[in-house]
């Protein structure tokens, strides 16, 4: 094999080795993606058993790279979930756009550290371009700032930390210097249908998972603005664009006007729903949303980028450096944005490369078309499921559909049957204390054909389990 002796890597060897491996990976990846539409959405038991072939003792001597990749292709690929395909409706797991996948390969080859502009001029410049594009696409304040992190969980945490530090600094307390012990109180308001990871983020930010004021939600999971408490500031409100089960949007205009009368920071978790801002047809869902202080979304959900890509946009860029500067926290920036001093991560992947490529390839109309296709497929599934005799539980305003059979036991059997059948994949959830099946359309590949094929499979499973009459 081509193992370099004495740790000295010949440059000629390295070049050939790289080419050999990348060509092989290209072949494997194309084969994998070609097979996606025909293979079961979740791996069969044999594929799981074969994963044992990857559980080897760490070899003493290095092994051939090509042989190593061969093992991944042979045993790893069959044990993947086909979430990159057209019929995976679990969680809100997006697929991957061709241009995003390709740009992520290019970006990996470049191996840029986007922590500081000096480490990667291309990452620095593309961060600025992508910042402008995202703010424009979503209609958010053009001088807002962008932070890229691993996902909505970290993006929400980052926003909460920035909000916390700003609000407490206005109250005369320096959290970065003195921590939270002894700090003036900060009220945190969330809706009853808050995403579980938002509570985790609040815990990580030192604000407490249970110390929150929880505002009741309506039947769709929207925060009830009429139930917002009469509070004095400082207040941090966490609203939601896209409830994870129903896809519902909080009443932002009312929440914002409540917040304006207090010393409040309004944060919006729009892990998948924020993209509604890019489509004029969905304006009724997002009224007032643009007046918040910070907004989060994911690149790896509806936009269909590779993992992992969390996007935070903040109204005032200076709120980031206060919390995240690694040195001399209060010095003004030497220059513009520096990821290392504006977010929680130091070294980091240049996620902006892939975002740039995806947005440029899609264009404004392409983003809208992608979103509409996902939402239309969700509507189509909802209509078909209802016609077939299942109960659709939510107003299908976005990409999410919730269904149940007339008995909880039958709903659970239906979910198990759908997963076993593996034409498509839907997960379970709890909806108002009872089980429901969640259908989340999050792939660019899901069109009428995939929706119809999935619908047929789900209704077949429903008849087989007695969830609907056969
Ligand atoms: C998915 C999701 C999150 C968490 O996002 P990650 O990318 O998994 O960290 C947070 N909030 C909502 C509403 C979500 O749908």
């Amino acid at each position: 094999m081509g193992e370099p002796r004495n740790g000295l890597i010949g440059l000629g060897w390295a070049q050939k080795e790289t080419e050999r491996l990348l060509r092989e990976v290209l072949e494997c990846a194309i084969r994998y993606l070609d097979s996606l539409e025909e293979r079961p959405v979740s791996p069969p038991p044999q594929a799981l058993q074969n994963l044992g072939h990857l559980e080897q003792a760490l070899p003493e001597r290095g092994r051939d790279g090509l042989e190593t990749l061969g093992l991944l292709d042979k045993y790893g690929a069959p044990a993947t979930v086909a979430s990159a395909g057209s019929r995976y409706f679990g969680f809100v797991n997006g697929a991957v756009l061709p241009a995003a996948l390709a740009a992520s390969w290019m970006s990996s080859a470049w191996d840029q550290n986007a922590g500081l502009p000096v480490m990667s001029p291309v990452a620095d410049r593309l961060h600025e371009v992508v910042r402008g594009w995202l703010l424009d696409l979503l209609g958010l304040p053009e001088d807002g700032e962008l932070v890229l992190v691993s996902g909505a969980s970290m993006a929400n945490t980052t926003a909460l930390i920035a909000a916390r530090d700003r609000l407490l600094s206005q109250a005369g307390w320096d959290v970065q210097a003195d921590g939270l012990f002894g700090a003036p109180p900060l009220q945190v308001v969330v809706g009853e249908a808050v995403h579980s990871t938002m509570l985790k983020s609040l815990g990580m930010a030192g604000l407490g998972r249970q110390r929150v004021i929880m505002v009741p939600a309506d039947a769709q999971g929207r925060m009830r603005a009429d139930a917002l408490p009469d509070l004095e500031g400082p207040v941090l409100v966490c609203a939601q664009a896209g409830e994870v089960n129903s896809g519902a949007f909080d009443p932002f205009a009312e929440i914002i006007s409540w917040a304006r009368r207090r010393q409040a920071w309004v944060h919006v978790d729009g892990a998948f729903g924020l993209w509604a801002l890019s489509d004029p047809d969905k304006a009724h869902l997002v009224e007032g949303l643009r007046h918040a202080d910070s907004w989060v979304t994911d690149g790896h959900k509806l936009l269909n980028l590779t993992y992992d890509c969390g996007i935070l946009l903040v109204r005032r860029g200076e709120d980031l450096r206060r919390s995240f500067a690694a040195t001399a926290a209060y010095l003004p920036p030497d220059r513009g944005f520096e990821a290392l001093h504006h977010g929680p991560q130091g070294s980091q992947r240049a996620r902006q490369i892939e975002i740039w490529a995806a947005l440029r390839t899609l264009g404004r109309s392409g983003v809208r078309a992608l979103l509409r296709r996902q939402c239309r497929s969700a509507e189509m599934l909802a209509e078909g499921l209802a016609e077939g005799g299942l109960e659709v539980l939510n107003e299908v305003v976005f990409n999410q559909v919730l269904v149940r059979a007339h008995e909880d036991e039958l709903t659970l059997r239906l979910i198990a049957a759908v997963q076993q059948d593996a034409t498509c994949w839907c997960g379970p959830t709890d909806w108002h204390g009872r089980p429901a099946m969640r259908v989340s359309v999050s792939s660019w590949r899901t069109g009428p054909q995939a929706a119809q094929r999935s619908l047929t499979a789900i209704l077949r499973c429903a008849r087989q389990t007695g969830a609907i009459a056969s």
Side-chain angles (χ1 to χ4, degrees):
M1 64 152 291
E3 187 189 355
R5 302 278 160 199
N6 307 323
L8 292 172
I9 298 175
L11 288 180
W13 173 85
Q15 190 54 35
K16 263 191 292 191
E17 178 69 354
T18 303
E19 186 175 332
R20 197 167 76 107
L21 299 185
L22 289 186
R23 288 195 192 286
E24 178 66 13
V25 165
L26 178 64
E27 288 303 314
C28 294
I30 290 173
R31 214 180 315 120
Y32 176 82
L33 292 171
D34 274 350
S35 74
L36 263 183
E37 290 308 306
E38 288 323 311
R39 47 166 297 192
V41 172
S42 46
Q46 185 60 50
L48 302 183
Q49 220 162 40
N50 285 344
L51 282 173
H53 292 285
L54 303 180
E55 293 170 2
Q56 311 167 345
L58 176 66
E60 209 50 53
R61 288 180 59 84
R63 305 292 294 268
D64 181 57
L66 210 54
E67 182 205 309
T68 303
L69 287 173
L71 288 176
L72 284 178
D73 185 47
K74 186 165 180 194
Y75 300 118
T80 55
V81 164
S83 49
S86 63
R87 298 185 311 281
Y88 183 80
F89 307 121
F91 306 89
V92 195
N93 288 354
V96 60
L97 294 166
L101 174 58
S104 103
W105 284 16
M106 187 170 285
S107 149
S108 289
W110 292 354
D111 194 30
Q112 298 294 281
N113 185 342
L116 289 171
V118 69
M119 293 171 171
S120 177
V122 61
D124 179 42
R125 196 67 67 88
L126 288 183
H127 179 275
E128 178 55 19
V129 176
V130 164
R131 182 193 70 82
W133 282 4
L134 285 171
L135 292 168
D136 177 28
L137 180 67
L138 301 173
L140 298 176
E142 63 182 10
D143 53 351
E145 192 50 274
L146 163 72
V147 186
L148 298 172
V149 288
S150 56
S153 301
M154 272 316 297
N156 283 325
T157 308
T158 303
L160 296 177
I161 290 170
R164 177 197 72 186
D165 292 0
R166 177 191 177 88
L167 291 169
L168 289 180
S169 115
Q170 286 169 343
W173 188 267
D174 182 347
V175 180
Q176 290 301 317
D178 301 320
L180 283 173
F181 300 102
L186 170 60
Q187 312 269 15
V188 179
V189 175
V190 302
E192 191 186 351
V194 62
H195 196 265
S196 57
T197 64
M198 181 59 92
L199 295 175
K200 170 176 163 177
S201 293
L202 284 163
M204 288 198 288
L207 297 170
R209 296 185 187 206
Q210 290 175 19
R211 195 186 152 274
V212 294
I213 297 168
M214 203 169 264
V215 177
D218 69 10
Q220 297 296 314
R222 291 177 290 235
M223 191 191 288
R224 273 184 40 208
D226 63 332
L228 279 162
D230 192 14
L231 288 178
E232 288 307 306
V235 187
L236 168 54
V237 192
C238 305
Q240 193 162 257
E243 202 274 343
V244 75
N245 290 305
S246 68
F249 289 68
D250 278 347
F252 304 107
E254 284 96 325
I255 294 171
I256 299 276
S257 96
W258 177 90
R260 286 245 167 94
R261 282 178 264 125
R262 289 155 181 90
Q263 196 190 351
W265 175 304
V266 180
H267 172 67
V268 181
D269 174 10
F272 61 95
L274 199 72
W275 300 104
L277 282 170
S278 68
D279 183 356
D281 283 1
K282 299 189 171 59
H284 59 288
L285 297 174
V286 295
E287 203 191 322
L289 173 50
R290 294 186 167 89
H291 300 293
D293 297 283
S294 52
W295 307 264
V296 157
T297 194
D298 262 322
H300 53 233
K301 288 184 173 168
L302 300 195
L303 191 60
N304 285 199
L305 306 185
T306 65
Y307 295 96
D308 42 13
C309 181
I311 296 170
L312 165 64
L313 296 158
V314 296
R315 181 173 288 280
R316 293 164 298 266
E318 69 267 23
D319 287 335
L320 295 167
R321 193 168 268 267
R322 181 191 296 110
S323 300
F324 298 107
T327 52
Y330 304 102
L331 294 179
D334 294 333
R335 36 164 304 145
F337 182 85
E338 297 171 296
L340 172 69
H341 298 303
H342 287 82
Q345 288 185 248
S347 298
Q348 54 197 281
R349 181 176 179 80
R351 298 177 176 98
Q352 54 269 45
I353 296 170
E354 189 181 331
I355 301 177
W356 183 86
L359 290 181
R360 187 175 185 282
T361 312
L362 289 167
R364 200 188 298 273
S365 65
V367 174
R368 203 182 307 139
L370 168 64
L371 192 64
R372 287 183 183 173
R373 184 173 157 89
Q374 291 162 336
C375 296
R376 212 166 30 239
S377 297
E379 274 167 30
M380 191 180 152
L381 280 160
E383 281 162 23
L385 292 169
E387 274 169 26
L390 291 165
E391 185 189 357
V392 174
L393 304 171
N394 63 321
E395 291 166 20
V396 181
V397 295
F398 209 56
N399 71 323
Q400 304 285 121
V401 185
L402 282 178
V403 289
R404 79 163 52 118
H406 55 277
E407 280 173 37
D408 292 350
E409 182 53 35
L410 292 175
T411 304
L412 294 172
R413 278 189 5 215
L414 169 63
I415 297 167
V418 168
Q419 294 185 356
Q420 175 82 27
D421 172 75
T423 302
C424 65
W425 201 95
C426 306
T429 191
D430 174 285
W431 188 242
H432 300 317
R434 289 180 56 194
M437 185 169 84
R438 264 180 97 249
V439 186
S440 174
V441 181
S442 311
S443 168
W444 64 276
R445 291 178 187 259
T446 310
Q449 222 181 333
Q452 187 54 53
R453 191 166 154 197
S454 304
L455 185 58
T456 306
I458 295 172
L459 291 178
R460 186 176 61 236
C461 292
R463 280 189 297 274
Q464 280 164 5
T465 52
I468 55 176
S470 49

